[in-house]
């Protein structure tokens, strides 16, 4: 298949492009390198050094003998988006190219507006480009489990059958997201479902949980193929952060009680889910939703798993929760769709965490401890940036 990976320079976009190329697909990546710019804005860097795109692509060519084409541009520019899609003529578009950090979207008005404009407009341009170039192109879009929030009923895969006053209908599952970032993905989902309904587009929305891990079989082949590993309080995700904190002897930063529960997924399963969704496309007109998680843990449980796997001393600190989120709640997620397509999950294990400790230990001198503690407060309409604190 010809597969275009939008956001192909990011934490997950890059390993996904390699995985798909490794499996024999004709792959192109597109990126505006915004993720690297956020590092400059925040004054932080990936724990694991990453190479520029040109070096990555050349390393992949040397290691695998395969080439990946690269496009540089911004999806918010609708002309660029349609021209790129017309040029590459993909069978499938995998769309990772969004601002993906909840805390970043909650810094202040400017960051909230940027996040929603960037994500919603970029996604709309992709939908229009597909409709214009070839409505048969399958869109595989990265959504988030955070679109649902933490409802007091089971979370279904995107759709819910509701009986109301004796009548029954199948409706989009009600959403109660927890940040302006998560809201941007809700807006995307609605736009995509509408495009499927009016233009007969085919789309798969992957509502992914919190990803952990840093290596896939392909990124491990050469240090130049490494993907990023974030530890800062804005872009670092919870399990990855706890691993680095354990290695540094820093207390694990559990927000609030730690009773808040999230779906998790190993990075190796992420790339495999994208392959499975791409190779088994949705039907024309179908808005298909999968919940892309393999297990659920509370934050407190994640801290315990990390502490128990680490050979040294680990302490846990309960910080005042900077976010507004339910800390004790029901959480039961249906996630059978991807398993039915053939996913064999890597469940969280000591082996994985031990290998992550190794990665963190190797690069621990690159950590800026000042970036570890959360500064963005959900209850405030404007949080100071690090440089202004
Ligand atoms: O040091 C920390 C960091 C986080 N948390 C807690 O851990 C949970 C998850 O936080 P996170 O920063 O790991 O993840 P989140 O902000 O939800 O966002 C991440 O995970 C989302 C999936 S989900 O969480 O919505 O299912 C993706 O959409 C995002 O792109 C990705 O950045 C939250 O309850 C948060 O309060 C802590 O207790 N301590």
């Amino acid at each position: 298949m010809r597969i275009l990976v939008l956001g192909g320079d990011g934490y997950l976009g890059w390993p996904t492009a390699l995985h798909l190329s490794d499996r024999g697909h004709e792959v192109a990546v597109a990126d505006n390198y915004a993720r690297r710019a956020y590092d400059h804005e925040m004054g932080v860097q990936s724990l694991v050094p990453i190479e520029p795109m040109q070096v990555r692509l050349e390393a992949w060519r040397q290691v695998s003998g395969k080439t990946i084409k690269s496009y540089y541009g911004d999806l918010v520019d609708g002309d660029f988006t349609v021209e790129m899609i017309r040029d590459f003529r993909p069978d499938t578009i995998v769309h990772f190219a969004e601002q993906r950090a909840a805390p970043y979207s909650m810094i202040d008005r400017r960051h909230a507006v940027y996040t929603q404009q960037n994500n919603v407009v970029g996604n709309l341009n992709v939908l229009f480009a597909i409709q214009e170039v070839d409505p048969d192109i399958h869109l595989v879009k990265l959504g988030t489990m955070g679109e649902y929030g933490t409802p007091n009923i089971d979370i279904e895969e995107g759709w819910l059958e509701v009986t109301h006053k004796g009548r029954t209908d199948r409706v989009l599952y009600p959403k109660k997201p927890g940040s302006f970032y998560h809201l941007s993905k809700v807006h995307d989902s609605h736009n995509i479902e509408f495009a499927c309904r009016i233009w007969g587009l085919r789309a798969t929305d992957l509502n992914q949980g919190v990803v952990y891990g840093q290596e896939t079989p392909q990124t491990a082949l050469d240090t130049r193929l490494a993907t990023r590993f974030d530890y800062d309080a804005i872009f670092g995700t919870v399990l990855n952060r706890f691993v680095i904190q354990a290695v540094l002897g820093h207390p694990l930063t559990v927000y609030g009680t730690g009773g808040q529960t999230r779906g998790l997924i190993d990075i190796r399963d992420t790339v495999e889910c994208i392959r499975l969704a791409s190779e088994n496309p949705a039907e024309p007109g179908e808005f298909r939703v999968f919940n892309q998680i393999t297990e659920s843990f509370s934050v407190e449980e994640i801290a315990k798993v990390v502490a128990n796997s680490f050979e040294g001393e680990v302490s846990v600190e309960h910080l005042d929760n900077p976010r507004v989120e339910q800390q004790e709640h029901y959480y039961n997620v249906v996630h059978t769709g991807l398993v039915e397509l053939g996913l064999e999950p890597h469940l969280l294990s000591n082996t994985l965490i031990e290998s992550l400790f190794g990665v963190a230990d190797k690069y621990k001198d690159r950590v800026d401890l000042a970036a570890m503690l959360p500064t963005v407060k959900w209850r405030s309409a404007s949080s100071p940036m690090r440089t202004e604190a």
Side-chain angles (χ1 to χ4, degrees):
M1 280 180 142
R2 296 178 66 77
I3 307 182
L4 175 61
V5 180
L6 307 176
D9 188 50
Y11 169 51
L12 301 175
W14 173 242
T16 298
L18 294 184
H19 184 63
L20 295 170
S21 173
D22 186 58
R23 292 306 183 95
H25 295 295
E26 197 61 46
V27 177
V29 290
D31 216 293
N32 65 352
Y33 304 106
R35 180 65 193 87
R36 294 181 191 242
Y38 307 145
D39 276 351
H40 292 303
E41 182 190 2
M42 299 292 140
V44 294
Q45 59 181 353
S46 160
L47 182 73
V48 176
I50 53 168
E51 296 291 346
M53 180 54 86
Q54 292 82 349
V55 178
R56 288 177 150 181
L57 296 176
E58 177 55 18
W60 181 240
R61 197 189 59 75
Q62 289 169 9
V63 167
S64 70
K66 296 173 197 295
T67 52
I68 293 179
K69 187 169 181 173
S70 158
Y71 293 90
Y72 167 55
D74 194 331
L75 300 180
V76 169
D77 175 350
D79 293 338
F80 161 75
T81 304
V82 77
E83 278 156 27
M84 169 178 61
I85 292 172
R86 191 172 283 129
D87 182 66
F88 189 64
R89 285 307 293 252
D91 302 300
T92 305
I93 295 178
V94 177
H95 182 12
F96 279 102
E98 300 204 331
Q99 191 300 97
R100 65 101 181 137
Y104 188 90
S105 75
M106 299 300 289
I107 293 173
D108 56 14
R109 172 179 54 84
R110 192 163 61 82
H111 290 83
V113 171
Y114 163 78
T115 299
Q116 294 213 353
Q117 247 167 15
N118 181 69
N119 294 2
V120 176
V121 174
N123 184 63
L124 261 180
N125 282 337
V126 171
L127 293 171
F128 271 86
I130 292 176
Q131 147 70 0
E132 193 174 320
V133 176
D134 179 3
D136 206 40
I137 295 171
H138 177 211
L139 175 64
V140 176
K141 165 70 167 52
L142 272 291
T144 172
M145 283 302 296
E147 291 183 37
Y148 303 113
T150 52
N152 200 29
I153 54 173
D154 288 1
I155 296 176
E156 304 296 328
E157 298 202 88
W159 293 90
L160 185 66
E161 200 173 281
V162 177
T163 302
H164 180 65
K165 296 185 179 168
R167 301 181 64 81
T168 298
D169 204 353
R170 180 174 179 260
V171 297
L172 284 180
Y173 194 96
K175 305 288 174 73
K176 206 177 178 188
S179 73
F180 288 118
Y181 151 70
H182 288 102
L183 271 155
S184 73
K185 297 246 172 183
V186 174
H187 305 326
D188 287 343
S189 295
H190 284 103
N191 285 339
I192 299 169
E193 190 274 334
F194 183 62
C196 291
R197 207 155 19 101
I198 58 166
W199 296 328
L201 301 196
R202 48 169 98 217
T204 302
D205 204 2
L206 296 171
N207 285 337
Q208 181 160 253
V210 182
V211 181
Y212 59 85
Q214 194 269 330
E215 279 187 346
T216 63
Q218 294 80 34
T219 66
L221 290 172
D222 188 304
T223 51
R224 293 171 298 168
L225 297 174
T227 194
R228 47 183 313 127
F229 194 38
D230 298 302
Y231 66 89
D232 62 280
I234 303 226
F235 279 91
T237 49
V238 63
L239 194 146
N240 286 355
R241 269 165 64 73
F242 286 176
V243 163
I244 295 165
Q245 291 167 350
V247 168
L248 293 173
H250 188 284
L252 308 192
T253 53
V254 171
Y255 298 166
T257 64
Q260 62 273 42
T261 299
R262 296 289 179 272
L264 271 77
I265 183 164
D266 185 308
I267 189 169
R268 293 168 297 176
D269 291 338
T270 289
V271 300
E272 182 62 359
C273 288
I274 306 291
R275 182 185 73 81
L276 290 167
S278 301
E279 290 179 3
N280 300 278
E283 296 299 323
E286 183 187 8
F287 175 68
R288 180 176 68 167
V289 185
F290 293 134
N291 292 337
Q292 191 160 305
I293 69 166
T294 58
E295 291 176 278
S296 296
F297 292 100
S298 70
V299 169
E300 182 77 359
E301 285 167 340
I302 297 170
K304 282 207 181 96
V305 176
V306 171
N308 292 341
S309 315
F310 191 65
E311 52 186 26
E313 272 298 288
V314 177
S315 62
V316 171
E317 190 177 359
H318 287 263
L319 303 177
D320 280 346
N321 197 334
R323 306 187 183 196
V324 176
E325 56 188 356
Q326 279 183 291
Q327 299 182 51
E328 307 297 332
H329 57 88
Y330 180 77
Y331 202 65
N332 191 29
V333 182
V334 175
H335 51 97
T336 48
L338 286 157
V339 173
E340 279 160 20
L341 289 185
L343 177 68
E344 292 173 22
H346 293 87
L347 299 182
L348 188 59
S349 69
N350 290 345
T351 341
L352 179 273
I353 298 188
E354 276 156 23
S355 72
L356 271 182
F357 287 139
V359 174
D361 195 56
K362 186 166 169 199
Y363 296 108
K364 63 177 186 235
D365 293 341
R366 287 167 58 88
V367 170
D368 175 0
L369 274 178
M372 197 61 88
L373 291 179
T375 51
V376 180
K377 308 264 192 292
W378 263 229
R379 288 183 174 79
S380 157
S382 178
S383 298
M385 305 267 285
R386 254 182 83 207
T387 45
E388 301 161 350

